[in-house]
Amino acid sequence: MSKEPTVPVGLVEDLPLAVSRNPGTTLFSIISSTFGGADHGTPPEWRRAVRAAAPAGAAATVRALLTAGHPWAPDSLALTSAVGAGAATPVAEELDRLDPDALLGDIGGRFGEDLPAAWRRVADRPGEFLTAYRTLARSVWDAFAPLWHQAGALLGREVERVGVASVTGTLGTVVNHLGAPVRYAGGRVHLPHPCPQHAAGNGRRRLVLVPLASGFGACTYSAEDPGLIWIGYPLPGLGRLGHRSAERHLPPAQDRLDLVLGPVRAALLRQAHRRPSVSEAARHAHITVSTATYHCDLLTRSGLLRRLRHGRETRLCLTEDGAALLDLLA
C-alpha cells in the first residue's frame, strides 16, 4: 500500500494563504468532467450545453488524453499556470499563450522518451493539437461563461469566508471541510494521491485555495511547485447558480442586459470576456466593424471596456466595472 502523500505548509496560525478566482481552473474541470473520465459532479444540464457547443473533432482529440491511462495535463493545458499569481488571468489570454515548443518540453519532462500513445500523437503534431484544443476550450467557455459570471458573488463570499477563518485561527477547520478529499494536520496538507511530479522538500509552502464552479464533486490540486500547493474544491453555494432570475420573477438575464445597454452594446460586452478584436466582436454581433467601433468607444468611455494591444491587434477586454455589470445582469 502506498504511503499517503503530504506537503508541508506550516502551522495554521501563520500559514501563508491566498484564494484564487481563476476561471481557467474551472474551465478545465468542466472539460475533464464532460469529455474525460473525471467525475466532478457537473450537473447534467451543464454537460449537455457544453457538449452541444463543442466541435466534434476537437472534443475527440482531448477525450483521447483525458481517458488514457495517464490522465495528466501540463499547467498550460489545464489553464492553471496563473493560479499562484495575484490576479486571475482571463481564459482568452491563457489560451493565447499556448506554445507548441513549451508543450513539447512539458510532455518530455513528464514522460521522457516513453510517451503513452495518446501523448505521442500530440508530440508528433503539437501545433495541430493546440489549434483543436483552443477551439474546444473557447467553445466550451462561450457556453459556460454566463454561469461563471453568475458565480461572481459566491466567489466574493468565499474569499471573505476564508479571510475570516485566517484571522480567527480556524483555517485548519476550513481546509478540512472544503468538500475535497484533502486534510490539514500537524502543519502538513495530506493528499489522496501523489502528483505526477510532486516536488520534494520540507520547506514551508504557500497554500492557494481555488474555488471551482464546475461541479459538486470537483477536486484538483498540484504540489509540483516547491514553493506552492494549490487545491481546487467545489464553490460553496453552487446549487444556487442558474436560479436567481426565476426566484425574483425578473426577465431573463439576457433581456435585462439588453434593456440596460441596448442589444448591440450588450452583445459586445458579452463577447469581451474572450478578448476579441473589434472585427471579431462585430462578426459575432452581426454588425459592421464601423458600427462596432462606435459602440466600443462608448463602452470604453463609460469604463466598461478597455482596449489591449496584442501583437499587431487591439483586443477588447472587460474592466472591473464591466465584469461587475455582467455579474449583476447576465
Side-chain angles (χ1 to χ4, degrees):
M1 181 179 295
S2 60
K3 184 180 179 182
E4 181 186 57
T6 64
V7 180
V9 293
L11 297 178
V12 70
E13 55 265 25
D14 58 0
L15 182 62
L17 175 77
V19 179
S20 175
R21 300 171 57 158
N22 186 53
T25 318
T26 283
L27 172 57
F28 188 73
S29 175
I30 285 285
I31 291 173
S32 300
S33 183
T34 304
F35 303 108
D39 181 9
H40 289 186
T42 304
E45 61 271 25
W46 295 7
R47 293 201 305 272
R48 285 194 294 269
V50 166
R51 287 195 190 101
T61 300
V62 173
R63 186 181 295 113
L65 296 178
L66 299 178
T67 57
H70 299 272
W72 164 86
D75 285 350
S76 57
L77 291 187
L79 305 175
T80 61
S81 58
V83 162
T89 300
V91 166
E93 187 174 316
E94 288 255 34
L95 293 172
D96 286 342
R97 290 177 181 172
L98 294 178
D99 176 74
D101 291 334
L103 177 59
L104 288 175
D106 289 336
I107 296 172
R110 170 66 178 95
F111 298 109
E113 297 296 324
D114 187 21
L115 297 186
W119 282 107
R120 171 60 64 187
R121 288 190 286 271
V122 173
D124 287 343
R125 295 181 177 84
E128 182 179 312
F129 170 80
L130 286 180
T131 297
Y133 183 75
R134 287 191 189 97
T135 300
L136 173 66
R138 285 169 177 153
S139 299
V140 171
W141 188 242
D142 280 346
F144 191 78
L147 279 169
W148 173 259
H149 292 309
Q150 269 196 38
L154 295 176
L155 289 163
R157 292 192 196 103
E158 180 63 1
V159 172
E160 294 175 359
R161 183 178 80 99
V162 174
V164 169
S166 181
V167 300
T168 57
T170 57
L171 194 55
T173 301
V174 167
V175 173
N176 287 333
H177 293 84
L178 290 175
V182 299
R183 62 187 179 87
Y184 171 86
R188 306 178 75 89
V189 172
H190 297 248
L191 305 174
H193 307 288
C195 296
Q197 292 172 294
H198 189 151
N202 294 316
R204 189 177 70 167
R205 302 192 196 199
R206 188 161 61 104
L207 174 63
V208 179
L209 301 181
V210 188
L212 302 173
S214 52
F216 300 103
C219 176
T220 184
Y221 52 82
S222 175
E224 296 183 9
D225 186 330
L228 170 72
I229 174 176
W230 63 262
I231 300 169
Y233 60 98
L235 172 65
L238 195 60
R240 295 200 292 272
L241 292 189
H243 301 293
R244 294 188 311 179
S245 295
E247 290 171 357
R248 297 180 184 175
H249 305 289
L250 294 175
Q254 181 174 346
D255 293 345
R256 287 188 287 145
L257 191 65
D258 289 354
L259 288 170
V260 171
L261 294 180
V264 172
R265 290 172 205 167
L268 293 171
L269 200 67
R270 292 190 196 97
Q271 282 295 316
H273 72 85
R274 302 181 66 217
R275 297 203 170 190
S277 64
V278 174
S279 60
E280 289 170 342
R283 184 171 64 253
H284 284 285
H286 305 292
I287 57 178
T288 65
V289 173
S290 60
T291 299
T293 300
Y294 168 76
H295 287 287
C296 286
D297 286 343
L298 294 177
L299 290 168
T300 300
R301 284 159 53 190
S302 68
L304 299 177
L305 283 184
R306 65 186 178 94
R307 289 179 167 88
L308 182 70
R309 291 293 300 176
H310 182 79
R312 296 182 178 181
E313 292 183 320
T314 299
R315 295 189 176 271
L316 306 171
C317 60
L318 289 169
T319 63
E320 289 187 7
D321 287 345
L325 187 62
L326 280 175
D327 286 344
L328 180 64
L329 298 180

